[in-house]
Amino acid sequence: MQKVGKGILVLAEQKHGKLHKVTYELLGKAAELSRKCGLPVWCAVAGPEELPVEELVFRGAQTVFFGADKRFDTPDELLLTRFFKQVVRDTEPGICLMGATSFGRSVAPRLAAALGTGLTADCTGLELDEDGRLVQIRPAFSENILAHIKTDTLPQMATVRYKEFPEAARDEGRKGEVVRVELPDPADRLAEVVSELKSQEADISDAEVIVAAGRGVKEAKDLGMIRELAELLGGRVGASRAIVDDGLIGRECQVGYSGSRVKPKLYIACGISGAPQHLAGMRESGYIAAINSDPSAPIFNIADIGICEDLYRAVPELIRKIRAAKDK
Ligand code: FAD
């Protein structure tokens, strides 16, 4: 098979010195592609000095390009884009992979534009054709078809959905090289991060229980009972796009096609109709409970248990029953 470019580069994600698991999933996929085309697996990461970069080697990176700088403690996406662009320019990879997380969705388009290359977002599959070109597979038209996309320009850049591929196995015996990368000149910065926006809700992508609110929840203050139920169950709050667009809750809570894809053990949908774009993000949940006053709501078609009831009655009742059971 022909080699396109000089390597497969995974663009790592970290926050406050902790690597995001999507990076390990991408390294696993990169290794699989590498076995077919013979290109080396590389990883680029920027973060604080104490970042455990050897972990990236244990997960299969043959070379790690490390930008160690405390400026990366804050999520300055413009600076990160410049860092990744520099690594790509210096190393000339044929393939660049990034997670389709909020971080990846923000940085990858900037990077693709800066490099003058294409970007296929939200991939669920990656293959190589007989000429060694990357076939980027992603659902299209509300997940009704799987599009197979090839990019004419280099590097071939794709973001990949979190939890789509298994993580690369960890092997402490793996050897790799860590190459320090000098960062872009600080005087060249386009923006200064003065503070990090603190979200009221925690990250939902790894939550084991999610209580999600839809347009059945009429006002922001009514989200209090959703949060209370989530807290009681040790879970997090999710949302449909409808109430995110209405400004009731932050975008980081959105579940679905254009939000997060989640696989909790328990998903409770409160006042959510079950549009295909919402189901795309939660249908693989372990156990799905739906509360909806409309018996014909499509969410009931995929729910393990359906409660056809006004959520303003059902949710407080559930809270009361769970509290009573806990107090016993
Ligand atoms: P609605 O469809 O309005 O449903 C509200 C439900 O609440 C109804 O079923 C109603 O019976 C019920 N209800 C009302 N009052 C009560 C009550 N008191 N008690 C109980 N039940 C009640 N959507 C997403 O969620 N995530 C995405 O990522 C996403 N991406 C999209 C991407 C594209 C390109 C497009 C075109 C759309 C996308 N959407 C997404 C939007 C999606 O199509 C739906 O519009 C949206 O999911 C509807 O949200 P909802 O179920 O909260 O609202």
Side-chain angles (χ1 to χ4, degrees), residues 142 213-218 239-243 245 254-260 270-279 281 291-295 297-299 307 309-312:
S142 297
R215 201 170 253 154
V217 174
K218 302 290 180 262
S240 72
R241 176 161 152 182
I243 66 159
D245 287 349
Q254 185 181 318
V255 173
Y257 183 63
S258 48
S260 295
C270 308
I272 292 177
S273 58
Q277 295 89 353
H278 186 80
L279 303 187
I291 304 171
N292 198 304
S293 50
D294 175 5
I299 191 81
I307 305 172
E309 171 71 277
D310 185 333
L311 71 91
Y312 285 84

Coordinates of all heavy atoms in Angstrom, one line a residue, residues 142 213-218 239-243 245 254-260 270-279 281 291-295 297-299 307 309-312, ligand 1:
S142 N -29.2 13.1 9.0 CA -29.8 12.6 10.2 C -29.6 11.2 10.5 O -30.5 10.4 10.9 CB -31.3 12.9 10.3 OG -31.5 14.3 10.2
A213 N -33.2 17.1 30.3 CA -34.4 17.9 30.2 C -34.7 18.3 28.7 O -33.7 18.6 28.0 CB -34.3 19.1 31.1
G214 N -35.9 18.3 28.3 CA -36.3 18.8 27.0 C -37.3 20.0 27.1 O -37.5 20.5 28.2
R215 N -37.9 20.3 26.0 CA -38.8 21.4 25.9 C -40.0 21.3 26.8 O -40.7 22.3 27.1 CB -39.2 21.7 24.5 CG -39.6 23.1 24.3 CD -39.8 23.5 22.8 NE -38.7 24.3 22.3 CZ -38.3 24.3 21.1 NH1 -38.9 23.5 20.2 NH2 -37.4 25.2 20.7
G216 N -40.2 20.1 27.4 CA -41.3 19.9 28.3 C -41.0 20.7 29.6 O -41.9 21.0 30.4
V217 N -39.7 21.1 29.8 CA -39.4 21.9 31.0 C -39.5 23.4 30.5 O -38.8 23.8 29.5 CB -37.9 21.6 31.4 CG1 -37.5 22.6 32.5 CG2 -37.8 20.2 31.9
K218 N -40.4 24.1 31.1 CA -40.8 25.4 30.5 C -39.8 26.5 30.9 O -39.6 27.4 30.1 CB -42.2 25.7 31.0 CG -43.2 24.7 30.7 CD -43.5 24.7 29.2 CE -44.6 23.6 28.8 NZ -44.1 22.3 28.3
A239 N -29.4 17.7 28.2 CA -30.5 18.5 27.7 C -30.7 18.2 26.2 O -29.8 17.7 25.5 CB -30.2 20.0 27.8
S240 N -31.9 18.5 25.7 CA -32.1 18.5 24.2 C -31.6 19.8 23.7 O -31.5 20.8 24.4 CB -33.6 18.3 23.9 OG -34.3 19.5 24.2
R241 N -31.4 19.8 22.4 CA -31.0 21.1 21.8 C -32.0 22.2 21.9 O -31.7 23.3 22.0 CB -30.7 20.8 20.3 CG -30.3 22.0 19.5 CD -29.6 21.7 18.3 NE -29.7 22.7 17.3 CZ -29.3 22.6 16.0 NH1 -28.6 21.6 15.7 NH2 -29.4 23.6 15.2
A242 N -33.3 21.8 22.0 CA -34.4 22.8 22.0 C -34.1 23.7 23.2 O -34.2 24.9 23.0 CB -35.7 22.1 22.1
I243 N -33.8 23.2 24.4 CA -33.7 24.1 25.5 C -32.4 24.7 25.6 O -32.2 25.8 26.2 CB -34.1 23.4 26.9 CG1 -33.2 22.3 27.3 CG2 -35.5 22.9 26.9 CD1 -33.2 22.0 28.8
D245 N -30.9 25.8 22.8 CA -31.2 27.0 21.9 C -32.0 28.1 22.5 O -31.9 29.2 22.2 CB -31.8 26.5 20.6 CG -30.9 25.7 19.7 OD1 -29.7 25.8 20.0 OD2 -31.3 25.1 18.7
Q254 N -25.8 19.6 26.0 CA -26.6 19.1 24.9 C -26.2 17.6 24.5 O -25.0 17.4 24.2 CB -26.4 20.0 23.6 CG -27.3 19.5 22.5 CD -27.2 20.5 21.3 OE1 -27.1 21.7 21.4 NE2 -27.1 19.9 20.1
V255 N -27.2 16.8 24.4 CA -27.0 15.4 24.0 C -27.5 15.3 22.6 O -28.6 15.8 22.3 CB -27.8 14.5 24.9 CG1 -27.7 13.0 24.4 CG2 -27.2 14.5 26.3
G256 N -26.8 14.6 21.7 CA -27.3 14.3 20.4 C -26.3 14.5 19.3 O -25.1 14.6 19.5
Y257 N -26.9 14.5 18.1 CA -26.1 14.6 16.9 C -25.1 15.7 16.8 O -24.0 15.6 16.5 CB -27.2 14.8 15.8 CG -26.7 14.8 14.4 CD1 -26.1 13.7 13.8 CD2 -26.9 16.0 13.6 CE1 -25.6 13.8 12.5 CE2 -26.4 16.0 12.3 CZ -25.8 14.9 11.7 OH -25.3 14.9 10.5
S258 N -25.6 16.9 17.2 CA -24.6 18.0 17.3 C -24.2 18.4 18.7 O -23.7 19.5 18.9 CB -25.3 19.3 16.6 OG -26.6 19.5 17.0
G259 N -24.4 17.5 19.6 CA -24.0 17.7 21.0 C -23.1 16.5 21.4 O -22.4 16.0 20.6
S260 N -23.2 16.1 22.7 CA -22.4 15.0 23.1 C -23.1 13.7 22.8 O -24.3 13.6 22.8 CB -22.1 15.0 24.6 OG -21.3 16.1 24.9
C270 N -36.7 13.7 30.3 CA -37.8 14.3 30.9 C -38.3 15.4 29.9 O -37.7 16.4 29.6 CB -37.5 15.0 32.2 SG -36.7 14.0 33.4
G271 N -39.5 15.2 29.3 CA -40.1 16.1 28.4 C -39.3 16.3 27.1 O -39.1 17.4 26.6
I272 N -38.8 15.1 26.6 CA -38.0 15.1 25.4 C -38.8 14.3 24.4 O -39.2 13.1 24.7 CB -36.6 14.5 25.6 CG1 -35.8 15.5 26.5 CG2 -35.9 14.2 24.3 CD1 -34.4 15.0 26.8
S273 N -39.1 14.8 23.2 CA -39.9 14.1 22.2 C -39.3 12.8 21.6 O -40.0 11.8 21.4 CB -40.4 15.0 21.1 OG -39.3 15.5 20.4
G274 N -37.9 12.9 21.4 CA -37.2 11.7 20.8 C -37.0 11.9 19.4 O -37.1 11.0 18.6
A275 N -36.6 13.1 19.0 CA -36.2 13.4 17.6 C -35.0 12.6 17.2 O -34.2 12.3 18.1 CB -35.9 14.9 17.4
P276 N -34.9 12.2 15.9 CA -33.7 11.3 15.6 C -32.4 12.0 16.0 O -31.4 11.3 16.4 CB -33.8 11.2 14.0 CG -35.2 11.6 13.7 CD -35.7 12.4 14.8
Q277 N -32.3 13.3 15.9 CA -31.0 14.0 16.2 C -30.7 13.8 17.7 O -29.5 13.9 18.1 CB -31.0 15.4 15.8 CG -31.1 15.7 14.4 CD -32.6 15.8 13.9 OE1 -33.5 15.5 14.6 NE2 -32.8 16.1 12.6
H278 N -31.7 13.7 18.5 CA -31.5 13.5 20.0 C -31.1 12.1 20.2 O -30.1 11.8 20.9 CB -32.7 13.9 20.8 CG -32.4 13.9 22.3 ND1 -31.7 14.9 23.0 CD2 -32.6 12.9 23.2 CE1 -31.6 14.6 24.2 NE2 -32.1 13.4 24.4
L279 N -31.9 11.2 19.6 CA -31.6 9.7 19.8 C -30.2 9.4 19.4 O -29.6 8.5 20.0 CB -32.6 8.9 19.0 CG -34.1 9.2 19.3 CD1 -35.0 8.1 18.6 CD2 -34.4 9.1 20.8
G281 N -27.6 10.7 20.0 CA -26.6 10.9 21.1 C -26.8 10.0 22.3 O -25.9 10.0 23.2
I291 N -40.1 10.2 30.5 CA -41.3 10.8 31.1 C -41.8 11.8 30.0 O -41.1 12.8 29.6 CB -40.9 11.6 32.4 CG1 -40.2 10.7 33.4 CG2 -42.2 12.2 33.0 CD1 -39.6 11.4 34.6
N292 N -43.0 11.6 29.6 CA -43.6 12.5 28.5 C -45.1 12.4 28.6 O -45.7 11.3 28.8 CB -43.1 12.0 27.1 CG -43.3 13.1 26.1 OD1 -44.4 13.6 25.9 ND2 -42.2 13.5 25.5
S293 N -45.8 13.5 28.5 CA -47.2 13.5 28.7 C -47.9 13.1 27.4 O -49.1 12.8 27.4 CB -47.7 14.9 29.1 OG -47.1 15.9 28.2
D294 N -47.2 13.0 26.3 CA -47.8 12.6 25.0 C -47.5 11.1 24.8 O -46.4 10.7 24.5 CB -47.2 13.4 23.9 CG -47.7 13.0 22.5 OD1 -48.5 12.1 22.4 OD2 -47.2 13.6 21.5
P295 N -48.6 10.3 24.8 CA -48.3 8.8 24.6 C -47.7 8.4 23.2 O -47.2 7.4 23.1 CB -49.8 8.2 24.7 CG -50.7 9.3 24.6 CD -50.0 10.6 25.0
A297 N -45.3 10.1 21.8 CA -43.9 10.7 21.6 C -43.0 9.5 21.2 O -42.9 8.5 21.8 CB -43.5 11.3 22.9
P298 N -42.1 9.8 20.2 CA -41.2 8.7 19.7 C -40.2 8.2 20.7 O -39.7 7.1 20.6 CB -40.5 9.4 18.5 CG -41.3 10.6 18.2 CD -42.1 11.0 19.4
I299 N -40.0 9.0 21.7 CA -39.0 8.6 22.7 C -39.4 7.2 23.4 O -38.6 6.4 23.8 CB -38.8 9.6 23.8 CG1 -37.6 9.3 24.8 CG2 -40.0 9.9 24.7 CD1 -36.3 9.7 24.3
I307 N -43.0 6.6 31.2 CA -44.0 7.1 32.2 C -44.7 8.2 31.5 O -44.2 9.3 31.2 CB -43.2 7.7 33.4 CG1 -42.3 6.7 34.0 CG2 -44.2 8.3 34.4 CD1 -41.4 7.2 35.1
E309 N -46.9 10.9 31.6 CA -47.3 11.7 32.8 C -46.7 13.1 32.6 O -45.7 13.3 31.9 CB -46.8 11.0 34.0 CG -46.9 11.7 35.4 CD -48.3 11.8 35.9 OE1 -49.0 12.7 35.5 OE2 -48.6 10.9 36.7
D310 N -47.3 14.1 33.3 CA -46.8 15.4 33.3 C -45.5 15.4 34.2 O -45.5 14.9 35.3 CB -47.8 16.4 34.0 CG -47.4 17.8 34.0 OD1 -46.2 18.1 34.0 OD2 -48.3 18.7 34.0
L311 N -44.4 15.9 33.6 CA -43.2 15.8 34.3 C -43.2 16.6 35.6 O -42.4 16.3 36.5 CB -42.0 16.1 33.4 CG -41.8 17.6 33.0 CD1 -40.8 18.3 33.9 CD2 -41.1 17.6 31.6
Y312 N -44.0 17.6 35.6 CA -44.1 18.5 36.8 C -44.7 17.7 38.0 O -44.6 18.1 39.1 CB -44.8 19.8 36.5 CG -44.0 20.8 35.7 CD1 -43.9 20.6 34.3 CD2 -43.2 21.7 36.4 CE1 -43.1 21.5 33.6 CE2 -42.4 22.6 35.6 CZ -42.4 22.5 34.2 OH -41.6 23.3 33.5
Ligands
FAD1 P1 -39.8 18.9 21.5 O1 -39.7 18.2 20.2 O2 -40.6 20.2 21.4 O3 -40.5 18.0 22.5 C1 -41.0 18.3 23.8 C2 -41.6 17.1 24.4 O4 -42.0 17.4 25.7 C3 -42.9 16.7 23.6 O5 -42.8 15.3 23.3 C4 -44.0 17.0 24.7 O6 -45.0 16.0 24.6 C5 -43.3 16.9 26.0 N1 -43.9 17.6 27.0 C6 -44.3 18.9 27.0 N2 -44.7 19.3 28.2 C7 -44.6 18.3 29.0 C8 -44.9 18.1 30.4 N3 -45.4 19.0 31.2 N4 -44.6 16.8 30.9 C9 -44.1 15.8 30.2 N5 -43.8 16.0 28.8 C10 -44.1 17.2 28.3 N6 -31.7 17.9 19.1 C11 -31.0 17.4 20.2 O7 -31.6 17.2 21.2 N7 -29.7 17.2 20.1 C12 -28.9 17.5 19.0 O8 -27.7 17.3 19.1 C13 -29.6 18.0 17.9 N8 -28.9 18.2 16.7 C14 -29.6 18.6 15.6 C15 -28.9 18.8 14.4 C16 -29.6 19.2 13.3 C17 -28.8 19.4 12.0 C18 -31.0 19.5 13.3 C19 -31.7 19.9 12.1 C20 -31.7 19.3 14.5 C21 -31.0 18.9 15.7 N9 -31.7 18.7 16.9 C22 -31.0 18.2 17.9 C23 -33.1 19.2 17.1 C24 -34.1 18.1 17.0 O9 -34.5 17.9 15.7 C25 -35.3 18.4 17.9 O10 -35.9 19.6 17.4 C26 -35.1 18.5 19.4 O11 -34.4 17.4 19.8 C27 -36.4 18.6 20.1 O12 -36.1 18.8 21.5 P2 -37.2 18.4 22.5 O13 -37.5 17.0 22.4 O14 -36.8 18.9 23.9 O15 -38.5 19.3 22.1

